Amino acid sequence: MRVRAPRDLAALPYARHLESFTGELEQAGSYEWVHFDGSAFQDVEGGNSLFSQSAFSSVTFDRGRLRRSRFDEVWLHTVRMVGTNLAETTWLDSECTAGVLAGTEIHGGEMRRVVFHQCKFDSVNLRATTLKDVAFVDCLLRDVDFGGATLTDVTFPGSTLDRARFDKATLTRVDLREAAGLGIASGIGSLDGAAISTAQLFDLAPALAQHIGLTVKDH
């Protein structure tokens, strides 16, 4: 997947159709051509909603539930999600720039053709999530759990993985060679299907040795 540069709001093909959001998010709501600008949602119950060709600017989600919602051609800029339940959500043709996701649940979700630019992921649960044609560009992924996830054509250019977990994950054409840092806390045996650089191989050597039970001792 060719990763394009982050776009401004005005560059979106549907920008001229956007209307400012007013009111409250609702359960199973439908939001097309909506601009959420500076909104702050706390403990919102917005599960099973559809967000289509919509934009989020400087929006905060504090806890709350958006479970099983769908994000289709959505643009997010400086969005903060803390403790938010996004389990089993579907993301298509979307991009997120300078966002923060902390303690966020996205397990069992699906992401296709999604790009994250300069985002921070902290203790994000991506277990059993399907990611295809997804790029993490210049991101920090700390304590992110990919356990049981399926990653296909996923890239991490310029990103740092810190204590990432890949237990029982399935990787196909996953490119880690351009990652700025590759810290794997567990699941080293599930990295078959991924490409790494020679330098990264040396960095992973202690974890690989531990995985195969190899004892390394110097005289």
Side-chain angles (χ1 to χ4, degrees):
M1 181 181 69
R2 186 179 67 85
V3 180
R4 65 183 168 203
R7 293 179 294 180
D8 294 330
L9 179 66
L12 300 177
Y14 51 85
R16 67 183 184 278
H17 300 296
L18 292 173
E19 296 183 1
S20 298
F21 172 77
T22 57
E24 300 291 335
L25 281 179
E26 299 178 352
Q27 187 89 10
S30 182
Y31 306 95
E32 183 177 17
W33 298 339
V34 178
H35 184 201
F36 300 86
D37 187 10
S39 303
F41 300 105
Q42 186 169 4
D43 295 315
V44 67
E45 291 290 340
N48 293 291
S49 292
L50 170 63
F51 301 90
S52 178
Q53 294 189 328
S54 293
F56 294 78
S57 304
S58 303
V59 173
T60 299
F61 289 92
D62 188 2
R63 301 183 300 276
R65 294 164 57 89
L66 293 168
R67 191 182 183 98
R68 298 194 181 96
S69 292
R70 180 183 176 97
F71 298 82
D72 192 353
E73 287 192 67
V74 170
W75 179 89
L76 304 97
H77 188 274
T78 57
V79 170
R80 182 179 179 88
M81 295 181 172
V82 179
T84 307
N85 189 333
L86 293 164
E88 300 177 61
T89 50
T90 301
W91 300 72
L92 298 172
D93 299 307
S94 297
E95 63 182 90
C96 180
T97 301
V100 174
L101 291 84
T104 306
E105 298 284 339
I106 318 181
H107 62 270
E110 180 179 357
M111 295 184 180
R112 292 179 182 271
R113 298 182 300 276
V114 177
V115 181
F116 296 94
H117 291 276
Q118 301 170 349
C119 292
K120 180 180 179 181
F121 295 77
D122 197 343
S123 300
V124 174
N125 182 354
L126 286 164
R127 294 182 66 85
T129 297
T130 298
L131 299 94
K132 182 175 176 56
D133 292 324
V134 175
F136 299 91
V137 183
D138 298 328
C139 295
L140 171 62
L141 296 90
R142 177 180 294 133
D143 292 312
V144 174
D145 192 350
F146 291 100
T150 300
L151 290 75
T152 305
D153 296 315
V154 177
T155 60
F156 298 84
S159 292
T160 297
L161 285 76
D162 183 8
R163 300 189 300 271
R165 296 184 291 281
F166 288 90
D167 304 87
K168 298 182 180 179
T170 301
L171 279 60
T172 304
R173 297 186 300 276
V174 172
D175 196 339
L176 295 163
R177 290 173 296 176
E178 295 183 13
L182 196 56
I184 309 297
S186 61
I188 194 78
S190 296
L191 293 183
D192 56 310
I196 62 173
S197 67
T198 302
Q200 289 170 330
L201 178 59
F202 286 109
D203 292 338
L204 290 177
L208 287 168
Q210 183 179 17
H211 173 69
I212 65 175
L214 179 65
T215 301
V216 180
K217 290 185 178 180
D218 296 320
H219 290 292

mmCIF file of all heavy atoms in Angstrom, residues 18 20 34 39-40 42 48-49 52 59 68 92 100 103 121 125 134 154 169 171 174 180 185 189 192 197 200-201:
data_model
loop_
_atom_site.group_PDB
_atom_site.id
_atom_site.type_symbol
_atom_site.label_atom_id
_atom_site.label_comp_id
_atom_site.label_asym_id
_atom_site.label_seq_id
_atom_site.Cartn_x
_atom_site.Cartn_y
_atom_site.Cartn_z
ATOM 1 N N LEU A 18 -19.385 18.836 4.350
ATOM 2 C CA LEU A 18 -19.408 18.670 5.800
ATOM 3 C C LEU A 18 -20.263 19.731 6.490
ATOM 4 O O LEU A 18 -20.219 20.910 6.148
ATOM 5 C CB LEU A 18 -17.983 18.726 6.348
ATOM 6 C CG LEU A 18 -17.062 17.555 5.982
ATOM 7 C CD1 LEU A 18 -15.649 17.827 6.449
ATOM 8 C CD2 LEU A 18 -17.584 16.251 6.563
ATOM 9 N N SER A 20 -21.369 21.021 10.557
ATOM 10 C CA SER A 20 -20.942 20.947 11.949
ATOM 11 C C SER A 20 -21.899 20.100 12.777
ATOM 12 O O SER A 20 -23.126 20.173 12.616
ATOM 13 C CB SER A 20 -20.852 22.352 12.554
ATOM 14 O OG SER A 20 -19.884 23.118 11.876
ATOM 15 N N VAL A 34 -20.432 14.745 8.402
ATOM 16 C CA VAL A 34 -20.513 15.473 9.667
ATOM 17 C C VAL A 34 -19.104 15.844 10.121
ATOM 18 O O VAL A 34 -18.172 15.035 10.033
ATOM 19 C CB VAL A 34 -21.205 14.628 10.760
ATOM 20 C CG1 VAL A 34 -21.232 15.387 12.087
ATOM 21 C CG2 VAL A 34 -22.619 14.267 10.322
ATOM 22 N N SER A 39 -15.297 18.682 19.949
ATOM 23 C CA SER A 39 -16.279 18.039 20.828
ATOM 24 C C SER A 39 -15.577 17.240 21.923
ATOM 25 O O SER A 39 -14.486 16.694 21.721
ATOM 26 C CB SER A 39 -17.190 17.103 20.032
ATOM 27 O OG SER A 39 -17.847 17.788 18.987
ATOM 28 N N ALA A 40 -16.212 17.159 23.082
ATOM 29 C CA ALA A 40 -15.706 16.360 24.196
ATOM 30 C C ALA A 40 -16.824 15.417 24.642
ATOM 31 O O ALA A 40 -17.876 15.866 25.106
ATOM 32 C CB ALA A 40 -15.269 17.249 25.352
ATOM 33 N N GLN A 42 -17.953 12.282 27.031
ATOM 34 C CA GLN A 42 -17.611 11.547 28.250
ATOM 35 C C GLN A 42 -18.668 10.486 28.519
ATOM 36 O O GLN A 42 -19.867 10.774 28.562
ATOM 37 C CB GLN A 42 -17.520 12.495 29.451
ATOM 38 C CG GLN A 42 -17.023 11.827 30.724
ATOM 39 C CD GLN A 42 -16.694 12.836 31.813
ATOM 40 O OE1 GLN A 42 -16.908 14.040 31.651
ATOM 41 N NE2 GLN A 42 -16.175 12.357 32.921
ATOM 42 N N ASN A 48 -22.801 0.675 17.684
ATOM 43 C CA ASN A 48 -23.534 0.315 16.472
ATOM 44 C C ASN A 48 -23.857 1.529 15.587
ATOM 45 O O ASN A 48 -24.862 1.538 14.876
ATOM 46 C CB ASN A 48 -24.832 -0.409 16.825
ATOM 47 C CG ASN A 48 -24.567 -1.765 17.462
ATOM 48 O OD1 ASN A 48 -24.093 -2.686 16.804
ATOM 49 N ND2 ASN A 48 -24.862 -1.877 18.750
ATOM 50 N N SER A 49 -23.007 2.544 15.632
ATOM 51 C CA SER A 49 -23.230 3.747 14.825
ATOM 52 C C SER A 49 -22.436 3.669 13.523
ATOM 53 O O SER A 49 -21.472 2.907 13.398
ATOM 54 C CB SER A 49 -22.828 5.003 15.598
ATOM 55 O OG SER A 49 -23.691 5.231 16.692
ATOM 56 N N SER A 52 -19.697 7.999 8.246
ATOM 57 C CA SER A 52 -19.328 7.878 6.840
ATOM 58 C C SER A 52 -18.931 9.235 6.270
ATOM 59 O O SER A 52 -19.672 10.211 6.409
ATOM 60 C CB SER A 52 -20.504 7.293 6.046
ATOM 61 O OG SER A 52 -20.199 7.212 4.677
ATOM 62 N N VAL A 59 -11.059 16.257 18.898
ATOM 63 C CA VAL A 59 -12.170 15.654 19.632
ATOM 64 C C VAL A 59 -11.617 14.746 20.725
ATOM 65 O O VAL A 59 -10.594 14.073 20.537
ATOM 66 C CB VAL A 59 -13.083 14.849 18.685
ATOM 67 C CG1 VAL A 59 -14.149 14.078 19.450
ATOM 68 C CG2 VAL A 59 -13.732 15.788 17.674
ATOM 69 N N ARG A 68 -18.901 -1.961 17.998
ATOM 70 C CA ARG A 68 -19.531 -2.410 16.753
ATOM 71 C C ARG A 68 -19.929 -1.252 15.829
ATOM 72 O O ARG A 68 -20.796 -1.414 14.978
ATOM 73 C CB ARG A 68 -20.742 -3.292 17.031
ATOM 74 C CG ARG A 68 -20.417 -4.584 17.776
ATOM 75 C CD ARG A 68 -21.581 -5.569 17.720
ATOM 76 N NE ARG A 68 -21.267 -6.781 18.462
ATOM 77 C CZ ARG A 68 -21.629 -6.996 19.720
ATOM 78 N NH1 ARG A 68 -22.315 -6.088 20.363
ATOM 79 N NH2 ARG A 68 -21.309 -8.120 20.320
ATOM 80 N N LEU A 92 -12.601 1.541 7.483
ATOM 81 C CA LEU A 92 -12.289 1.410 6.067
ATOM 82 C C LEU A 92 -11.834 2.758 5.494
ATOM 83 O O LEU A 92 -12.438 3.792 5.769
ATOM 84 C CB LEU A 92 -13.515 0.926 5.284
ATOM 85 C CG LEU A 92 -14.088 -0.448 5.643
ATOM 86 C CD1 LEU A 92 -15.405 -0.672 4.914
ATOM 87 C CD2 LEU A 92 -13.101 -1.546 5.305
ATOM 88 N N VAL A 100 -4.161 10.252 19.978
ATOM 89 C CA VAL A 100 -3.722 9.533 21.171
ATOM 90 C C VAL A 100 -4.789 8.510 21.524
ATOM 91 O O VAL A 100 -5.964 8.847 21.692
ATOM 92 C CB VAL A 100 -3.499 10.482 22.369
ATOM 93 C CG1 VAL A 100 -3.180 9.682 23.627
ATOM 94 C CG2 VAL A 100 -2.394 11.473 22.078
ATOM 95 N N GLY A 103 -5.369 3.028 26.701
ATOM 96 C CA GLY A 103 -6.287 2.125 27.356
ATOM 97 C C GLY A 103 -7.527 1.847 26.522
ATOM 98 O O GLY A 103 -8.612 1.625 27.055
ATOM 99 N N PHE A 121 -0.031 5.190 20.699
ATOM 100 C CA PHE A 121 -0.848 4.099 21.203
ATOM 101 C C PHE A 121 -0.255 3.648 22.540
ATOM 102 O O PHE A 121 0.912 3.268 22.591
ATOM 103 C CB PHE A 121 -0.850 2.916 20.236
ATOM 104 C CG PHE A 121 -1.489 3.194 18.900
ATOM 105 C CD1 PHE A 121 -0.819 3.920 17.927
ATOM 106 C CD2 PHE A 121 -2.754 2.718 18.612
ATOM 107 C CE1 PHE A 121 -1.400 4.170 16.686
ATOM 108 C CE2 PHE A 121 -3.346 2.959 17.382
ATOM 109 C CZ PHE A 121 -2.674 3.687 16.423
ATOM 110 N N ASN A 125 -5.609 -2.489 23.151
ATOM 111 C CA ASN A 125 -5.923 -3.900 22.952
ATOM 112 C C ASN A 125 -6.401 -4.127 21.522
ATOM 113 O O ASN A 125 -7.510 -3.743 21.164
ATOM 114 C CB ASN A 125 -7.002 -4.334 23.949
ATOM 115 C CG ASN A 125 -7.342 -5.812 23.839
ATOM 116 O OD1 ASN A 125 -6.867 -6.520 22.950
ATOM 117 N ND2 ASN A 125 -8.171 -6.291 24.744
ATOM 118 N N VAL A 134 -2.679 -1.665 6.349
ATOM 119 C CA VAL A 134 -2.652 -0.666 7.428
ATOM 120 C C VAL A 134 -1.217 -0.187 7.602
ATOM 121 O O VAL A 134 -0.270 -0.984 7.558
ATOM 122 C CB VAL A 134 -3.189 -1.252 8.751
ATOM 123 C CG1 VAL A 134 -3.048 -0.249 9.893
ATOM 124 C CG2 VAL A 134 -4.650 -1.671 8.588
ATOM 125 N N VAL A 154 0.933 -4.965 6.410
ATOM 126 C CA VAL A 154 0.994 -3.916 7.434
ATOM 127 C C VAL A 154 2.429 -3.408 7.518
ATOM 128 O O VAL A 154 3.382 -4.195 7.493
ATOM 129 C CB VAL A 154 0.521 -4.443 8.803
ATOM 130 C CG1 VAL A 154 0.648 -3.370 9.879
ATOM 131 C CG2 VAL A 154 -0.924 -4.928 8.716
ATOM 132 N N ALA A 169 -0.347 -14.409 16.950
ATOM 133 C CA ALA A 169 -0.746 -13.559 15.822
ATOM 134 C C ALA A 169 -0.357 -14.239 14.512
ATOM 135 O O ALA A 169 0.537 -15.084 14.470
ATOM 136 C CB ALA A 169 -0.094 -12.185 15.916
ATOM 137 N N LEU A 171 0.937 -13.269 10.735
ATOM 138 C CA LEU A 171 1.512 -12.175 9.966
ATOM 139 C C LEU A 171 1.778 -12.621 8.527
ATOM 140 O O LEU A 171 2.355 -13.684 8.291
ATOM 141 C CB LEU A 171 2.816 -11.696 10.594
ATOM 142 C CG LEU A 171 2.740 -10.734 11.789
ATOM 143 C CD1 LEU A 171 1.992 -11.359 12.968
ATOM 144 C CD2 LEU A 171 4.144 -10.322 12.249
ATOM 145 N N VAL A 174 4.199 -8.564 6.480
ATOM 146 C CA VAL A 174 4.316 -7.464 7.442
ATOM 147 C C VAL A 174 5.747 -6.936 7.382
ATOM 148 O O VAL A 174 6.706 -7.698 7.538
ATOM 149 C CB VAL A 174 3.957 -7.933 8.868
ATOM 150 C CG1 VAL A 174 4.275 -6.840 9.883
ATOM 151 C CG2 VAL A 174 2.489 -8.318 8.936
ATOM 152 N N ALA A 180 11.501 2.380 13.674
ATOM 153 C CA ALA A 180 12.592 3.057 14.374
ATOM 154 C C ALA A 180 13.047 2.266 15.593
ATOM 155 O O ALA A 180 14.198 2.380 16.024
ATOM 156 C CB ALA A 180 12.153 4.457 14.788
ATOM 157 N N ALA A 185 7.699 -7.740 23.506
ATOM 158 C CA ALA A 185 7.624 -8.285 24.854
ATOM 159 C C ALA A 185 7.322 -9.775 24.845
ATOM 160 O O ALA A 185 7.808 -10.522 25.691
ATOM 161 C CB ALA A 185 6.564 -7.542 25.667
ATOM 162 N N GLY A 189 7.814 -15.893 18.506
ATOM 163 C CA GLY A 189 7.661 -17.038 17.622
ATOM 164 C C GLY A 189 6.575 -16.872 16.584
ATOM 165 O O GLY A 189 6.445 -17.691 15.673
ATOM 166 N N ASP A 192 6.943 -15.048 12.104
ATOM 167 C CA ASP A 192 7.148 -15.557 10.749
ATOM 168 C C ASP A 192 6.090 -14.925 9.847
ATOM 169 O O ASP A 192 4.933 -14.818 10.199
ATOM 170 C CB ASP A 192 7.050 -17.085 10.715
ATOM 171 C CG ASP A 192 5.739 -17.610 11.272
ATOM 172 O OD1 ASP A 192 5.361 -17.193 12.368
ATOM 173 O OD2 ASP A 192 5.080 -18.424 10.595
ATOM 174 N N SER A 197 15.190 -6.031 9.310
ATOM 175 C CA SER A 197 16.519 -5.728 8.782
ATOM 176 C C SER A 197 17.572 -6.520 9.556
ATOM 177 O O SER A 197 17.304 -7.093 10.630
ATOM 178 C CB SER A 197 16.803 -4.234 8.895
ATOM 179 O OG SER A 197 16.912 -3.859 10.263
ATOM 180 N N GLN A 200 18.021 -5.104 12.988
ATOM 181 C CA GLN A 200 16.937 -5.501 13.883
ATOM 182 C C GLN A 200 17.099 -6.939 14.350
ATOM 183 O O GLN A 200 16.702 -7.282 15.465
ATOM 184 C CB GLN A 200 15.595 -5.313 13.183
ATOM 185 C CG GLN A 200 15.192 -3.858 12.992
ATOM 186 C CD GLN A 200 13.976 -3.712 12.085
ATOM 187 O OE1 GLN A 200 13.754 -4.518 11.189
ATOM 188 N NE2 GLN A 200 13.204 -2.663 12.311
ATOM 189 N N LEU A 201 17.664 -7.786 13.492
ATOM 190 C CA LEU A 201 17.906 -9.171 13.882
ATOM 191 C C LEU A 201 18.825 -9.231 15.097
ATOM 192 O O LEU A 201 18.586 -10.019 16.026
ATOM 193 C CB LEU A 201 18.518 -9.940 12.716
ATOM 194 C CG LEU A 201 18.886 -11.403 12.988
ATOM 195 C CD1 LEU A 201 17.670 -12.200 13.415
ATOM 196 C CD2 LEU A 201 19.553 -12.025 11.765
#
